[in-house]
Amino acid sequence: MKPLNPIATGFGESVFTTLTRLANQAGAINLAQGFPDFDGPEWIKELAIDAIKTGPHQYAPSMGAISLRQGLADFYLEQYKLSLDPAQEILVTVGASEAIYSTIVALLAPGEELLCFEPLYDSYLASARLHGVKICPVTLPFPGLEIDWDRMEDLCGPKTKALILNNPHNPTGKVFSQAELEKLALFAQKHDLYVICDEVYEFLTFETPHIPLASLPGMRQRVVTISSMGKTLSLTGWKIGWAMGPHELIKPIHHVHQFITFCLAHPLQIALANTLPRLKTYLPEFRAQYFKKRDYLIQGLTSLGFKPQRPQGTYFLLAQVPNGQTDVSFSQELIHTKKVAALPLSSFYLESNQGTQLIRFCFAKKMETLSLALNQLRGGL
Ligand SMILES: Cc1ncc(COP(=O)(O)O)c(C=O)c1O
């Protein structure tokens, strides 16, 4: 038989799948997995049931259900004063993941280069590689996680086409400051780069409000903002995402999207359109719930001798592994001796080896789950 595409066969099993398998085999509490162990509100599920009962059940417009695009345009105008034309500047996708892939394919040609901060979310690398795009990583050095501007300048060459920015940032929990975003905006303009902004945790910032890069002066024309509702509504399996930006950029992204998935499940789009007007009251409760979880886990881990880093956003936090251990050996030890799984970080890096000293805990878990995990880590199995 002829060999298959080496890019695809080279991917192997993701670290998330491996850890989940190991955690399940050991009967461990899984704080490695990056999604909630609870479901979003009943009233949103009811909206989905209503939408399934009433339809429509045929293909949605490929750009997305009109009511959802209009709802998103209204929502973003009120939230960040971002003005978007729902007819041409908002594209509904199957989760942020599809938006990321379609955007990379639409904006970059094979052989071109994409700047990216590491640790990096794994789908950026996979999407870029599948399309023959080179990822150029800029390490955010732990624990300060500041941007290395000299490295950014050094990496920027004639083939550099775009920067991908995840803000708030998985896995570090960093929220890029206004000053950093302003400098990134100037950098993008100076080097004529597009910026792909993955903002799936936009509603999960703790001390500071989220600032979309697209809202900064001079950026609207060069930014594609990607987000999704999975994390925010604790309904990750619904996979409702979107890409927003100027028509000139959304148009080719739509053209790619129409040949990959064409559209997302129509009734779920209607359910989300009907959810959006109620987000204003939902979001403060949502954030308050995560404040509690974050502080509870930090306090618990600190009392056990861990040195967790306080995240400014997302539902992840990083902790250093003890001297003499690696991320992989320590996470395996935790699974086997404490029956708690945390995610080793080395696979989030292309260049730096600092991930070998870091593990990620996810606190998108019920308080009982977090309490049980801390109890087990304390040795009270
Ligand atoms: C940074 C980041 N981007 C994108 C995604 C994927 O989002 P979705 O489930 O909407 O495809 C995730 C999911 O974990 C994520 O952490």
Side-chain angles (χ1 to χ4, degrees):
M1 301 273 273
K2 291 182 180 166
L4 304 175
N5 179 350
I7 300 172
T9 53
F11 284 152
E13 185 176 79
S14 85
V15 65
F16 307 99
T17 313
T18 310
L19 255 287
T20 296
R21 187 165 32 77
L22 291 177
N24 289 344
Q25 279 166 0
I29 297 174
N30 197 343
L31 302 189
Q33 223 162 27
F35 56 83
D37 68 348
F38 51 90
D39 287 344
E42 287 302 310
W43 61 266
I44 304 180
K45 293 185 198 165
E46 291 297 332
L47 290 175
I49 292 166
D50 290 348
I52 285 176
K53 283 190 183 145
T54 55
H57 286 286
Q58 307 312 320
Y59 294 126
S62 178
M63 284 287 283
I66 291 161
S67 61
L68 177 54
R69 283 184 277 143
Q70 183 63 57
L72 287 167
D74 295 344
F75 180 78
Y76 279 104
L77 185 62
E78 194 180 335
Q79 187 79 6
Y80 308 119
K81 309 265 172 295
L82 270 179
S83 165
L84 294 149
D85 174 1
Q88 306 191 90
E89 298 188 318
I90 300 177
L91 169 71
V92 178
T93 56
V94 181
S97 311
E98 192 227 310
I100 291 163
Y101 182 77
S102 299
T103 303
I104 289 177
V105 170
L107 267 48
L108 291 99
E112 291 181 331
E113 296 178 3
L114 178 60
L115 283 177
C116 183
F117 294 110
E118 70 170 16
L120 83 168
Y121 180 61
D122 59 352
S123 89
Y124 306 157
L125 184 61
S127 301
R129 280 199 178 144
L130 280 169
H131 185 52
V133 163
K134 185 177 168 205
I135 289 259
C136 301
V138 179
T139 306
L140 295 170
F142 187 86
L145 306 170
E146 283 109 12
I147 298 175
D148 180 345
W149 293 102
D150 291 338
R151 176 86 178 130
M152 297 272 288
E153 287 290 346
D154 286 351
L155 281 176
C156 221
K159 289 187 182 171
T160 315
K161 186 75 159 292
L163 162 74
I164 188 160
L165 174 72
N166 176 210
N167 184 34
H169 184 254
N170 171 12
T172 62
K174 177 182 170 77
V175 171
F176 288 80
S177 68
Q178 169 132 19
E180 284 174 318
L181 292 175
E182 283 168 1
K183 216 165 159 183
L184 277 172
L186 292 178
F187 182 86
Q189 289 169 38
K190 174 178 161 195
H191 293 283
D192 189 19
L193 302 179
Y194 296 111
V195 189
I196 304 168
C197 288
D198 174 350
E199 303 187 354
V200 297
Y201 299 99
E202 64 183 308
F203 304 114
L204 252 187
T205 60
F206 297 110
E207 278 79 26
T208 49
H210 174 68
I211 305 170
L213 187 70
S215 66
L216 268 55
M219 293 309 284
R220 197 188 183 290
Q221 289 315 306
R222 55 178 75 244
V223 172
V224 175
T225 305
I226 291 171
S227 193
S228 73
M229 267 299 153
K231 328 282 176 188
T232 305
L233 302 182
S234 305
L235 294 166
T236 56
W238 285 24
K239 292 295 280 187
I240 305 182
W242 51 90
M244 309 181 293
H247 175 56
E248 297 71 30
L249 302 186
I250 294 300
K251 190 174 166 190
I253 300 169
H254 172 228
H255 289 164
V256 175
H257 155 84
Q258 72 185 337
F259 293 120
I260 301 177
T261 58
F262 189 80
C263 69
L264 169 79
H266 206 161
L268 291 184
Q269 298 196 40
I270 304 301
L272 180 60
N274 293 331
T275 300
L276 290 173
R278 291 170 67 177
L279 277 192
K280 226 178 166 171
T281 45
Y282 168 81
L283 288 174
E285 285 167 34
F286 166 76
R287 207 176 268 122
Q289 181 195 27
Y290 273 104
F291 253 107
K292 225 166 100 183
K293 293 178 191 298
R294 177 192 70 164
D295 291 350
Y296 181 69
L297 186 61
I298 289 179
Q299 214 170 37
L301 288 174
T302 307
S303 74
L304 293 169
F306 284 88
K307 289 197 188 93
Q309 197 177 45
R310 179 174 295 268
Q312 302 156 315
T314 76
Y315 46 51
F316 303 111
L317 62 82
L318 297 184
Q320 271 178 289
V321 306
N323 285 340
Q325 293 256 35
T326 67
D327 61 330
V328 174
S329 70
F330 188 56
S331 72
Q332 292 196 348
E333 184 182 311
L334 288 183
I335 289 177
H336 295 298
T337 64
K338 305 288 184 184
K339 304 249 180 281
V340 173
L343 197 75
L345 222 68
S346 42
S347 67
F348 282 72
Y349 291 85
L350 282 175
E351 203 166 77
S352 162
N353 65 1
Q354 73 183 11
T356 60
Q357 296 308 304
L358 296 167
I359 51 173
R360 187 194 79 178
F361 289 95
C362 172
F363 50 91
K365 307 293 165 191
K366 294 177 202 145
M367 289 303 274
E368 305 95 89
T369 311
L370 295 176
S371 160
L372 204 59
L374 286 170
N375 198 28
Q376 294 187 185
L377 287 172
R378 209 169 280 125
L381 268 179

